[in-house]
Amino acid sequence: MSLEKGGIIKHDISKSPKTGDWAYSKPQVDKDKCIGCETCVQYCPDACIEMVKHKKDIKKKADIDYDFCKGCGVCAQVCPVKAIVMKK
Ligand code: SF4
Ligand code: SF4
């Protein structure tokens, strides 16, 4: 399977494996720190981060879908303002 198909799989939920309770850690986004740069979206290997605009926000902020997040920690590593923290 090519990388491109892997990226698309999320859009067909019936083909996409959900993360089990084996996940060791979860990323948590500090919405006040997030500057909406979308770096984490580009690097997430599971394509499970979306940019969402909440009513009070001017910019869209990162929102993580925990049904598919594997807890790899890449998003926390690449965030330029350290807005993502991995919690056990
Ligand atoms: S921990 Fe990994 S899988 Fe989960 S949102 Fe971050 S980069 Fe994506
Ligand atoms: S990389 Fe950090 S600042 Fe950029 S959108 Fe993701 S959480 Fe927000």
Side-chain angles (χ1 to χ4, degrees), residues 6 9-24 26 46-48 64-71:
I9 205 169
K10 181 173 184 283
H11 302 290
D12 184 346
I13 294 297
S14 65
K15 290 182 186 170
S16 185
K18 283 194 174 184
T19 303
D21 55 10
W22 46 262
Y24 180 72
K26 280 185 175 181
D46 277 277
C48 63
I64 294 164
D65 186 339
Y66 292 116
D67 282 345
F68 298 97
C69 169
K70 304 297 184 289

Side-chain angles (χ1 to χ4, degrees), residues 28-46:
Q28 290 190 344
V29 181
D30 184 334
K31 299 278 197 298
D32 292 330
K33 279 190 182 176
C34 175
I35 56 172
C37 69
E38 301 190 24
T39 304
C40 55
V41 176
Q42 292 166 27
Y43 278 86
C44 173
D46 277 277

Side-chain angles (χ1 to χ4, degrees), residues 52-59:
V52 176
K53 192 169 187 291
H54 298 279
K55 275 182 185 171
K56 68 177 178 68
D57 297 326
I58 297 166
K59 283 189 171 182

Side-chain angles (χ1 to χ4, degrees), residues 29 33-41 49 51 60-62 75 78-84:
V29 181
K33 279 190 182 176
C34 175
I35 56 172
C37 69
E38 301 190 24
T39 304
C40 55
V41 176
I49 308 177
M51 300 304 292
K60 288 182 178 178
K61 304 290 174 91
C75 53
V78 300
C79 177
V81 293
K82 301 293 174 207
I84 303 179

